[in-house]
């Protein structure tokens, strides 16, 4: 703010003006002046003029300040899970309404999570023990013979086991959907607790035939975090667990997290 004693402070692109920065007036007193602020990042000039005794500052070339926490961050294209945890990657995809395929390459399996507009709608695992057919047999939703028949006919249904089971009438959608969601949710939990491996993210659409909505994106994440073993949470938090607890703003409202009554009361303490 220019005053009789000089330029006290200017905020340009959220950066303070060094009080030692020299400014140069380029017009005689009483006339409109241009102060060279080229040494200040984000600004080229500040125009001072007289308008009914009031001073006018033109900083049209500077950016408006943005509150911390408001800048959206996209899912990285690739990296290690030690630097970008699956929980963090899930949060970035969900909070930015991303549509794409997140692939986690773990030591013993590969897990695929396909997001559509921020919602996880397809989860798959390369591990034989995670196979959907074996899960449905274990849940007594299918027999081994029915599963074999479905695989034999799967080519007529785009190679998709689920489509074949429904198309052949071997599964009743009304009773099977809950089991399919539970299976996908279990795979998603495996993905979220992983801490060794790498990931890759591809911006691509999910084929409609594979879509299996799992529910509210934030309820899914909150439920998964509640299932984390306490010992594991403490290990991952490390030294941060001893730091004071403070509220922080972000891209997601607390009301969207579907907190339990106990969790909401705990939050109200801070």
């Amino acid at each position: 703010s220019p005053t009789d004693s000089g330029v006290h402070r200017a905020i340009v692109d959220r950066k303070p003006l060094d009080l030692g920065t020299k400014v140069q007036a380029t017009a005689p007193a009483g006339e409109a002046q241009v102060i060279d602020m080229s040494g200040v990042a984000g600004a080229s000039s500040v125009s001072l003029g007289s308008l009914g005794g009031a001073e006018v500052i033109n900083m049209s070339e500077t950016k408006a300040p943005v509150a911390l926490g408001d800048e959206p961050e996209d899912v990285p294209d690739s990296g290690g899970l030690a630097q970008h945890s699956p929980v963090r990657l899930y949060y970035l995809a969900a909070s930015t309404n991303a549509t794409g395929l997140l692939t986690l390459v773990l030591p013993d399996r590969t897990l695929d999570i396909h997001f559509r507009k921020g919602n996880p709608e397809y989860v798959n695992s390369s591990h034989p023990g995670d196979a959907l057919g074996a899960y449905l047999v274990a849940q007594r939703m299918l027999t081994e013979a029915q599963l074999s028949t479905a695989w034999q006919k799967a080519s007529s249904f785009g190679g998709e086991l689920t489509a074949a089971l429904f198309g052949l009438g071997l599964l009743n959608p009304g009773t099977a959907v809950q089991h399919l969601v539970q299976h996908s949710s279990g795979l998603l939990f495996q993905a979220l607790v992983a801490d060794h491996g790498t990931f890759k993210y591809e911006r691509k659409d999910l084929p409609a035939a594979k879509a299996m909505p799992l529910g509210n994106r934030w309820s899914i994440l909150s439920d998964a975090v509640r299932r984390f073993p306490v010992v594991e949470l403490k290990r991952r938090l490390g030294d941060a667990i001893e730091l004071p607890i403070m509220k922080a703003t972000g891209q997601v409202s607390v009301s969207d997290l579907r907190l339990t009554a106990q969790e909401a009361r705990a939050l109200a303490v801070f």
Side-chain angles (χ1 to χ4, degrees):
S1 56
T3 66
D4 294 337
S5 59
V7 177
H8 285 238
R9 184 179 176 85
I11 300 297
V12 180
D13 198 16
R14 296 191 300 173
K15 297 181 180 179
L17 169 65
D18 185 352
L19 297 184
T21 302
K22 295 181 179 180
V23 296
Q24 178 65 44
T26 59
E31 299 180 10
Q33 300 183 31
V34 175
I35 296 181
D36 182 11
M37 296 181 68
S38 58
V40 181
S44 58
S45 66
V46 176
S47 176
L48 303 181
S50 177
L51 183 62
E55 292 176 322
V56 180
I57 302 179
N58 179 9
M59 300 180 69
S60 59
E61 295 190 22
T62 65
K63 297 179 180 179
V66 179
L68 293 178
D70 289 347
E71 305 91 336
E73 180 182 348
D74 293 330
V75 182
D77 292 334
S78 61
L81 297 182
Q83 292 73 38
H84 303 276
S85 73
V87 171
R88 172 70 176 172
L89 296 172
Y90 181 105
Y91 158 76
L92 292 176
S95 63
T96 58
N97 295 317
T99 295
L101 175 63
L102 176 63
T103 300
L104 308 183
V105 181
L106 310 184
D108 62 342
R109 71 198 67 200
T110 297
L111 293 167
D112 294 327
I113 308 171
H114 213 136
F115 292 89
R116 176 184 287 175
K117 296 182 179 179
N119 295 298
E121 294 198 348
Y122 175 78
V123 188
N124 188 49
S125 171
S126 64
H127 196 282
D130 296 334
L132 175 61
Y135 174 83
L136 292 175
V137 171
Q139 297 294 312
R140 298 184 177 181
M141 298 294 295
L142 285 178
T143 65
E144 291 285 358
Q146 289 174 322
L147 177 60
S148 177
T149 299
W151 275 123
Q152 292 173 8
K153 302 291 185 179
S155 58
S156 301
F157 298 90
E160 294 294 327
L161 176 61
T162 305
L165 291 171
F166 288 148
L168 295 172
L170 298 176
L171 274 185
N172 181 348
T175 58
V177 169
Q178 179 182 355
H179 293 276
L180 296 177
V181 169
Q182 288 177 351
H183 176 257
S184 295
S185 298
L187 297 181
L188 182 57
F189 180 74
Q190 290 186 41
L192 292 175
V193 299
D195 61 349
H196 293 87
T198 60
F199 74 89
K200 178 177 66 174
Y201 180 69
E202 304 171 82
R203 292 162 179 80
K204 58 194 298 186
D205 289 329
L206 172 68
K210 291 187 175 183
M212 176 62 67
L214 304 184
N216 179 275
R217 68 187 78 177
W218 300 120
S219 291
I220 294 170
L221 182 60
S222 296
D223 288 342
V225 172
R226 292 184 189 107
R227 294 171 58 191
F228 267 59
V230 175
V231 174
E232 178 64 12
L233 279 177
K234 289 182 176 179
R235 183 188 71 81
R236 296 195 183 194
L237 288 172
D239 295 338
I241 198 171
E242 302 298 333
L243 298 176
I245 299 176
M246 301 177 64
K247 283 186 177 180
T249 58
Q251 299 180 47
V252 182
S253 171
V254 172
S255 61
D256 292 336
L257 298 180
R258 308 293 178 92
L259 300 180
T260 64
Q262 184 179 12
E263 291 165 348
R265 287 195 297 270
L267 180 65
V269 173
F270 303 100

